[in-house]
Every structure is written in structure tokens, then in C-alpha cells.
Amino acid sequence: MSKNNLMNTYGRFDVTFEKGIGTKLYDVNGKEYLDFVSGVAVNCLGHSPAAIINAIEKQSKNLIHVSNYYWNTEHTALAEKLSNNCHHNKVFFCNSGTEAVEAALKIARKYGKLKSNKNKNILLYMDNSFHGRTIGALTVTGQEKYQKDFLPLMDGVKKVKFNSIEDLNKNFNENVCGIIIEPIQGEGGINIAHTEFLKESRKLCDKFNALLIFDEVQCGIGRLGSLFAYKKFGVIPDVICIAKALGGGFPIGAVLANETASQAFVPGDHGSTFGGNPLACAVSLAVLTELVDKGIINKIEEKSTYLKEKLNNLKDKYNVIDEVKGMGLLIGISIKVDVKDFINLCFKNGLLVVSAGTNVVRLLPPLNVSKAEIDEALNILEIVINKFS
């Protein structure tokens, strides 16, 4: 089977997977891997969970797709389920995190125009952030390596130093229509936003009548131990971008907004052909039932504490780990050796992990991962760490 027909957009590992069950993946040769990537925080219930299989089978027999010119039962139910679990009462459905970010940026720009200030169109974003690869999302991604080959990007944006209240105040004024922040920077290195910084952002948005946007695409949907990441910080944004784990492996994204922000959009301002697709929404409802109603989220903190404690034991034992950071089951291991070599050796030993930033190994197990599976991953990590000691 030729692999030459795919565009060269990813530096893929030399492996082809054909089956996955729970936390395990199996390649075409039958080799087993422990998956602590989870599709980059997507497979929150692991691979091939019964809840998703049943939802796909049931919904595909009823209604797979219908235009957004009409209502459908599933998108209405999912919007209600999401709204009942947050402070936001309006939902727009799309297909991915990048699309969710694009919608949020448009909401902020339109909101600025509605405030009768023709210059109220500035979007603030953080250095070291990552919000996606479309032109709009790329414009507010604070990493030059992703931007440089696609310049010029959008006008009307300003970069702020992450967690710097001084720089935030320096750049905030009446012309700002919105600010976008990841509560935890995933691709940037598992960097946690300071609560004081988020509170100051909220205060300035209220003062200058701008929208506070949280990008929870990677850190939301249970990853931190609450359905929405903002609840761990005590700061309520106006707009939330979610995706990834929302579908547990089935493509779906969403934007949640409060009443004030949502009024920016009227029919014709935005849309998505497949957004609110009945099949995707049925799967998402099944995922949320498992996470929320069946209590998977409630066990995240315990697993996180266990995993970080064991990793810190490895840090004390070997001179390879510099820092263990992160929250919930979004964990970063800052290491003193080449991160690519480290990840490749994990791969050879049957553990899938990915990098974040320049020197961080990222652990993203399924949210229903067992302690036995965490121990299995820790055993492989110790084998690898020992090689570099």
C-alpha cells in the first residue's frame, strides 16, 4: 500500500495502526502500544468504547445529516446538555477546535462593531500560544515558527506576554474587542495561566467592554477534572472554544457564549455545513453521559495526584526530569535531554507520548485510564529515563 498520496504535512512515526481497544493501539504487525497521546486529547474514553459504538450504530439508522435550515433532535439536546453544565446559554456547533476559534474571533470582531466604535477591532493574544492553523487562528497563535511561512496574516492583533499583568494592562484599551487565552497552554509547553492574570483579564474586559475568550480545546471536556477548564480557575469567560474530547474521536467542535456575546451573531454572519450534524451530536451526548453522568470526571483529580506523585519520585531518583507540571490528566514532564530522542525511545518501548514546547514530554491518557495502566506507563518511562541517566 503506497503512502505517497498523502500531502507531506506531518512528521509521522514509522507505524501504521489498524486497531485500538481502550488505552491500547495495535499496528499492522500486531505490536501493542500504550496510548498516552489519545489522539492529542481527543480519545477521552479510549479507543472503540462501547458508548460511542452504540451511539453511532443507533443514530446512523435514524438520521446521519440534515441541513441547518432545520432543527434536529440531537443538536438541540447537546446544546442543552452543555449549557446546563456551564454559565453560557448559547452554542454554535462546528467540526474542530480551529473552527471554534475562528467563530469566537468573528464574534469578538462583530461585538466590537456593535459597540459603535469603528476602531474597536483589536484582538489580544498570548505569546507561546497555539490556537490552530487557519489564517485567523494562526494570526492569534503566539509562535513564530507556525506563522512565518504564511505572512502576511490578519491585521488588528496584539501579542501579550503570558501571565504578565503589566504587559496586559499596557496593551488593553477601548479599541480591544476581545482577548483569547488558553487556561493551560498545551502546544506551548503545558504552561498554566495564573489565576491573578485571568482575573485581571476579566476585570479589563469588563472595564473596556471587550470579550474574554477561553480556548479550552485541549484542556477542556474533563481533562482538568471539571467539564470546563474555567471552573478550575474561578474566572468566567464570555466565550469558550471546545472540540477534541467533545466527540471522543468523532469530529465535532463548539463555541459557547453568554447572552451578551451571542447577540453579536445574526443569521448570515456565520455557519457550518456539518456543524450540529445529528451523528456527531449523538456521539458527543454519549461521551458527556459517560464523563458527567457516570462520574468519570470525578476521578480525574485522584488519578492526577497519583501520576504526578510517581513522576516526582522519578524526578528525585534520576537526573533527567527538570519539572513535572500541568493539571488533571494534562501533564508535562520538562526534561534535560533531547525531547525527540526521549519520545522515540518511548515509542520503541511501546509507549506513545508527544512533545509540547521545546523540552516537554506531554502525557494525555484517556480520562478513564486505570491506575494499572498508569503504572504500566510509569514503568516504561523509568526504563527510558534510566537510558538517559
Side-chain angles (χ1 to χ4, degrees), residues 121-140:
N121 54 27
I122 302 299
L123 292 159
L124 301 184
Y125 68 100
M126 303 297 109
D127 68 341
N128 211 40
S129 61
F130 182 87
H131 297 290
R133 298 178 188 274
T134 56
I135 292 296
L138 200 57
T139 299
V140 294

Side-chain angles (χ1 to χ4, degrees), residues 11 13 17 23 25 33-41 307 311 331-333 335 338-356 360-365 374 376-378 380-381 384:
F13 286 85
F17 291 117
T23 59
L25 277 170
Y33 296 80
L34 180 60
D35 186 5
F36 267 46
V37 177
S38 300
V40 190
L307 176 55
L311 288 171
I331 303 297
I333 312 170
I335 58 176
D338 185 87
V339 70
K340 186 175 181 180
D341 290 343
F342 189 97
I343 288 172
N344 285 336
L345 194 53
C346 286
F347 173 76
K348 290 177 181 178
N349 281 274
L351 174 65
L352 304 181
V353 292
V354 288
S355 64
V360 176
V361 177
R362 192 173 7 163
L363 304 181
L364 296 161
I374 291 174
E376 186 180 350
L378 288 163
I380 297 174
L381 284 170
V384 173

Side-chain angles (χ1 to χ4, degrees), residues 54-67:
N54 293 338
I56 291 173
E57 182 178 10
K58 180 180 177 181
Q59 186 59 38
S60 64
K61 292 177 180 178
N62 291 330
L63 185 65
I64 291 177
H65 178 74
V66 65
S67 168

Side-chain angles (χ1 to χ4, degrees), residues 86 97 136 190 319 324 333 360 363:
C86 66
I190 318 299
N319 188 34
V324 176
I333 312 170
V360 176
L363 304 181

Side-chain angles (χ1 to χ4, degrees), residues 162 182-186 190-193 215 219 224 233 326-327 330:
F162 188 53
E182 298 162 276
I184 297 185
Q185 292 184 334
I190 318 299
N191 308 311
I192 302 175
D215 179 346
C219 64
L224 304 188
F233 296 86
M327 294 173 63
L330 175 54

Side-chain angles (χ1 to χ4, degrees), residues 253-272:
V255 176
L256 291 89
N258 58 25
E259 191 73 37
T260 300
S262 68
Q263 289 177 355
F265 273 177
V266 297
D269 279 344
H270 200 55
S272 172

Side-chain angles (χ1 to χ4, degrees), residues 10-48:
Y10 288 93
R12 291 182 169 91
F13 286 85
D14 187 20
V15 64
T16 299
F17 291 117
E18 65 176 4
K19 184 179 180 180
I21 300 292
T23 59
K24 303 297 176 63
L25 277 170
Y26 300 88
D27 68 17
V28 291
N29 298 312
K31 182 178 177 180
E32 181 182 278
Y33 296 80
L34 180 60
D35 186 5
F36 267 46
V37 177
S38 300
V40 190
V42 169
N43 302 106
C44 58
L45 302 179
H47 297 282
S48 304

Side-chain angles (χ1 to χ4, degrees), residues 16-17 49 97 137 142 148 154 178 193 196 212 221 232 258 301 352 365:
T16 299
F17 291 117
K148 59 185 178 64
M154 282 177 15
E196 295 77 14
L212 178 59
I221 311 299
K232 290 294 182 181
N258 58 25
E301 288 289 352
L352 304 181

